[in-house]
Amino acid sequence: MRTDINAVAIITARGGSKRIPGKNSKLFLGKPMLVYSVEAALSAGIFREVMVSTDDEEIAKIAREAGASVPFMRSEEMANDFATTDDVLLEVLETYEQRGETFDYMACIYPTAPFVTADKLQSAMCLLIEQDGAGVMPVVRYSFPPQRGMAVRDGKLVYCYPENATKRSQDLEPMYHDCGQFYCYHVARYLACKGDLSDGYLPILVDETQVQDIDNPSDWALAEMKYKMMLKNDA
């Protein structure tokens, strides 16, 4: 893996989670959730800087103890419920530039993504550079084809796409969705369009056993089971 690239890992970890209070610092299998993202980025060995963007002093303390930097705190404007991930990334890049630091590439890593690994980050960054892409996104294939999905209308089930009702699953185009774990970007191209990549993203395919949204206690329990399975399979 190349170690000469000028890249930054930005872990977006604000305080004030509503659905799972303190989610970013809550213990996940005995370790603060945020730490998994920090350790993956540090272990990847491809980032000149691994930083955490946060407005929360407790999160900042956990991040620093795990080895990440918190060179500046997130602004109040970027810490509300309406700020997007792109808003946060643009603020981070602008603040670095004001401090005289620029980067060629960046990875945006979510703080509640324990399935992010050093290998995945390395693979994504290699793909980005080798294919001269604007962005890379990890995706997972839908286990059931969405083209045959149904909705409830007037109390009855109806196919959303009736033309696909009798088609075999294997005859439908595979569809994927965002894993919600991390993204890699060519910084200049990202800044030029403020995150709205006209060139689209290159895909990294991830197994569904290593993907889990964590929005409620049930999700949390499922994530812990899947993580244990991942460790067992890796071993």
Side-chain angles (χ1 to χ4, degrees):
M1 178 63 205
R2 289 179 54 177
T3 58
D4 61 335
I5 59 176
N6 179 25
V8 58
I10 302 171
I11 301 170
T12 56
R14 77 179 181 96
S17 174
K18 300 293 191 302
R19 289 174 290 192
I20 302 179
K23 180 166 67 170
N24 293 330
S25 54
K26 182 179 172 67
L27 295 184
F28 181 88
L29 296 175
K31 188 161 54 179
M33 176 70 83
L34 166 68
V35 173
Y36 290 86
S37 296
V38 172
E39 291 180 343
L42 291 172
S43 297
I46 55 175
F47 300 107
R48 180 162 67 85
E49 175 102 314
V50 175
M51 70 88 68
V52 172
S53 169
T54 186
D55 60 313
D56 186 279
E57 290 294 345
E58 179 187 2
I59 291 174
K61 181 175 183 292
I62 292 171
R64 293 188 179 105
E65 290 176 348
S69 68
V70 186
F72 44 84
M73 299 296 286
R74 188 183 300 191
S75 70
E76 183 177 346
E77 181 183 3
M78 291 298 112
N80 62 46
D81 292 337
F82 302 101
T84 67
T85 298
D86 286 328
D87 292 334
V88 173
L89 295 177
L90 290 168
E91 179 186 68
V92 169
L93 293 172
E94 180 181 359
T95 304
Y96 269 119
E97 186 172 5
Q98 292 170 353
R99 296 159 64 99
E101 295 185 76
T102 58
F103 301 93
D104 298 323
Y105 300 95
M106 71 172 172
C108 166
I109 306 174
Y110 287 144
T112 54
F115 298 101
V116 173
T117 64
D119 287 344
K120 289 174 185 172
L121 292 170
Q122 290 172 352
S123 296
M125 196 64 75
C126 277
L127 179 66
L128 181 69
I129 295 171
E130 291 173 359
Q131 297 293 323
D132 191 27
V136 172
M137 177 189 301
V139 295
V140 60
R141 181 173 175 172
Y142 282 99
S143 57
F144 183 87
Q147 301 96 318
R148 290 181 58 191
M150 292 181 280
V152 177
R153 297 172 185 164
D154 297 325
K156 294 182 180 180
L157 286 169
V158 295
Y159 282 100
C160 296
Y161 308 100
E163 66 274 18
N164 296 321
T166 59
K167 290 182 180 178
R168 301 183 307 167
S169 297
Q170 58 265 43
D171 293 332
L172 297 171
E173 181 182 22
M175 294 182 69
Y176 303 84
H177 65 85
D178 179 4
C179 290
Q181 296 179 357
F182 70 92
Y183 313 91
C184 293
Y185 295 105
H186 183 289
V187 170
R189 295 178 191 174
Y190 180 89
L191 289 173
C193 62
K194 295 185 177 181
D196 186 15
L197 300 186
S198 58
D199 292 340
Y201 289 82
L202 299 169
I204 289 282
L205 305 185
V206 178
D207 190 274
E208 63 181 337
T209 61
Q210 298 182 21
V211 177
Q212 180 62 51
D213 285 337
I214 306 177
D215 295 325
N216 55 57
S218 295
D219 291 341
W220 192 282
L222 282 172
E224 288 188 329
M225 287 192 294
K226 287 185 176 182
Y227 188 83
K228 290 177 182 177
M229 184 189 305
M230 183 179 76
L231 291 181
K232 182 178 180 180
N233 291 339
D234 288 344

